[in-house]
Amino acid sequence: MGDNDNSYKLFFSHVEMVRDLLLGFVKEEWVKGLDLDSLERVSASYVSDDIRDRHDDIVWRVRWGEEWLYVYILIEFQSTVDMYMPLRVMVYVGLLYQDLIREKKLTSSGKLPPVLPVVLYNGSGRWEAPIEMWDLIEDVPGGLSRYRPRFTFLLLDEGAYREEDLKPLKNLVSALFRLETSRDPEKIMETVTLLLEWLAAPEQASLRRAFTVWFNRVFFATGKDRVKPPELQELTEVRAMLAERVEEWKKEWKQEGLQEGLQEGLQEGLEQGLKKGLKKGLKKGLEKGRKEGEASILMKLLELKFGELSVKDRKRVQSADSDTLLKWTEQILTANKLDEILSS
């Protein structure tokens, strides 16, 4: 189990996170009837037929009127799209229902309580796989299709939420999503400052600690060139650390935009690498990066094709404006000599 997965399980072991998830991200009328003060976490250990335990699922229950509604939060932290997620969740919910029957936790009419299955996804691409079990099964004409099970889950695709939608919410889950998806260090600082305001009470120390753990194990642990700081103990220390390094990261992340595609492409050969690098790195980087970054990338490309540049040629590149740099970059793939580019 990865650190991010563990961090999410730690987050949603707190009642405040589950409350904010229901209030901020379940846009359905029935939520208004919940008694959120009754939220309580319940045991979640089920044994399926192949004897695989599920000790790590997050299951809460909350009263809706006089009955209990079970909120089943599947936090296996999906960073990749799973085509068969509806089947997985349906099996897990079935195991939960078996347990409720065994424990005689039924409604007053003897029926099973409703369950809200939730899947959190933070992959870089958007979720395009089915969320309906019905859509996974072949449609056979002649009446057989009516036996296909109808089951769906609530998908929370973090990257699908826009910054302008998340920012106005005084909501812990929206703050977590902003931290997960933002590459702007100033926005991350802003979010941490808000968290310190919202979680200032002494009884919220455990939740402050959960966010601190996420920064230690996920945020500060990512990035090949980023030096991992000492283990931080409080969210105030996180803010201080961010304040020290925000300018450094702004430069670093802008440069990554220029280099990301180029580095990936160069591994596959110069010509193919240049095409990929120009498409991924320069399209992204030229929009974000500064003139110095543009000149640096162009000089690297020129040296890869034509060899080391003279002092005169380097100065020529460094003094060119952005439009000229872009024009020269586009000519790299077709030019046979360096002068064909720099004299144009």
Side-chain angles (χ1 to χ4, degrees):
M1 187 185 305
D3 286 335
N4 219 338
D5 196 18
N6 280 323
S7 295
Y8 262 53
K9 294 183 190 306
L10 179 59
F11 279 131
F12 288 95
S13 66
H14 291 83
V15 66
E16 297 95 333
M17 293 291 289
V18 180
R19 180 189 294 114
D20 279 5
L21 183 147
L22 291 169
L23 291 176
F25 295 89
V26 185
K27 306 296 186 180
E28 297 175 11
E29 191 67 24
W30 58 268
V31 176
K32 296 178 181 178
L34 295 178
D35 176 10
L36 294 174
D37 290 335
S38 68
L39 267 168
E40 63 179 43
R41 190 173 177 183
V42 296
S43 173
S45 178
Y46 318 115
V47 182
S48 59
D49 291 340
D50 56 3
I51 320 298
R52 285 182 301 184
D53 288 335
R54 299 213 37 94
H55 295 287
D56 296 314
D57 296 328
I58 307 295
V59 181
W60 289 76
R61 69 175 186 171
V62 60
R63 285 200 175 277
W64 184 78
E66 296 299 318
E67 306 292 356
W68 286 104
L69 163 73
Y70 283 80
V71 182
Y72 187 105
I73 306 178
L74 175 63
I75 311 223
E76 293 204 348
F77 197 66
Q78 285 300 121
S79 56
T80 57
V81 176
D82 187 342
M83 172 74 175
Y84 298 104
M85 183 58 73
L87 175 60
R88 288 177 56 191
V89 181
M90 187 177 72
V91 170
Y92 301 156
V93 172
L95 294 172
L96 171 61
Y97 275 138
Q98 285 184 349
D99 187 66
L100 294 176
I101 293 171
R102 184 165 53 248
E103 299 294 325
K104 295 183 172 56
K105 295 178 179 177
L106 307 177
T107 67
S108 56
S109 62
K111 294 182 179 181
L112 292 165
V115 172
L116 170 67
V118 180
V119 172
L120 297 179
Y121 167 71
N122 89 321
S124 56
R126 303 287 52 81
W127 186 281
E128 297 179 350
I131 61 172
E132 292 269 1
M133 185 66 194
W134 178 272
D135 295 327
L136 289 181
I137 302 174
E138 189 68 43
D139 184 8
V140 178
L144 185 58
S145 289
R146 71 174 181 267
Y147 300 106
R148 287 188 290 175
R150 289 192 175 275
F151 175 87
T152 188
F153 58 85
L154 174 63
L155 173 69
L156 298 184
D157 183 349
E158 292 181 5
Y161 294 100
R162 301 177 302 174
E163 168 69 12
E164 56 265 36
D165 296 328
L166 295 174
K167 185 176 179 179
L169 300 177
K170 185 179 180 180
N171 185 290
L172 295 171
V173 178
S174 70
L176 175 60
F177 287 2
R178 289 182 72 196
L179 292 174
E180 283 277 6
T181 58
S182 178
R183 286 181 61 84
D184 185 330
E186 292 177 345
K187 291 179 181 177
I188 293 171
M189 273 284 290
E190 177 185 40
T191 304
V192 172
T193 300
L194 289 174
L195 286 171
L196 285 168
E197 293 177 8
W198 299 344
L199 303 176
E203 60 269 21
Q204 293 172 312
S206 177
L207 194 45
R208 288 198 305 273
R209 178 60 184 161
F211 277 97
T212 305
V213 168
W214 179 85
F215 272 98
N216 282 324
R217 298 182 182 175
V218 179
F219 184 83
F220 289 126
T222 57
K224 296 179 181 179
D225 301 324
R226 191 174 299 157
V227 178
K228 186 177 179 181
E231 187 85 3
L232 305 177
Q233 302 300 317
E234 257 294 351
L235 206 52
T236 51
E237 298 177 26
V238 172
R239 183 170 61 179
M241 177 66 69
L242 290 171
E244 289 178 7
R245 305 181 66 179
V246 65
E247 290 303 320
E248 171 191 340
W249 286 342
K250 285 169 70 174
K251 294 177 183 178
E252 177 185 324
W253 289 351
K254 283 181 180 180
Q255 199 67 16
E256 285 177 4
L258 288 164
Q259 295 175 350
E260 183 178 311
L262 176 62
Q263 291 174 346
E264 181 179 309
L266 288 174
Q267 295 175 359
E268 301 178 13
L270 179 58
E271 183 175 352
Q272 183 177 355
L274 287 171
K275 293 177 181 178
K276 284 191 176 183
L278 290 170
K279 183 178 180 181
K280 289 185 67 177
L282 290 173
K283 181 179 179 182
K284 184 187 297 183
L286 289 173
E287 292 173 353
K288 295 183 179 180
R290 301 174 302 178
K291 177 176 171 295
E292 290 85 351
E294 298 168 6
S296 175
I297 288 297
L298 176 56
M299 287 189 291
K300 184 175 181 65
L301 295 175
L302 291 172
E303 289 181 335
L304 285 170
K305 186 164 185 177
F306 300 110
E308 186 175 357
L309 300 179
S310 66
V311 174
K312 178 182 178 181
D313 289 334
R314 294 181 70 86
K315 289 183 177 179
R316 198 170 183 181
V317 173
Q318 291 168 342
S319 63
D321 59 32
S322 293
D323 290 339
T324 302
L325 290 173
L326 180 58
K327 178 182 177 182
W328 288 349
T329 302
E330 292 171 344
Q331 294 174 338
I332 289 176
L333 294 178
T334 57
N336 295 316
K337 296 180 179 180
L338 179 61
D339 286 345
E340 292 179 18
I341 298 174
L342 298 186
S343 62
S344 63

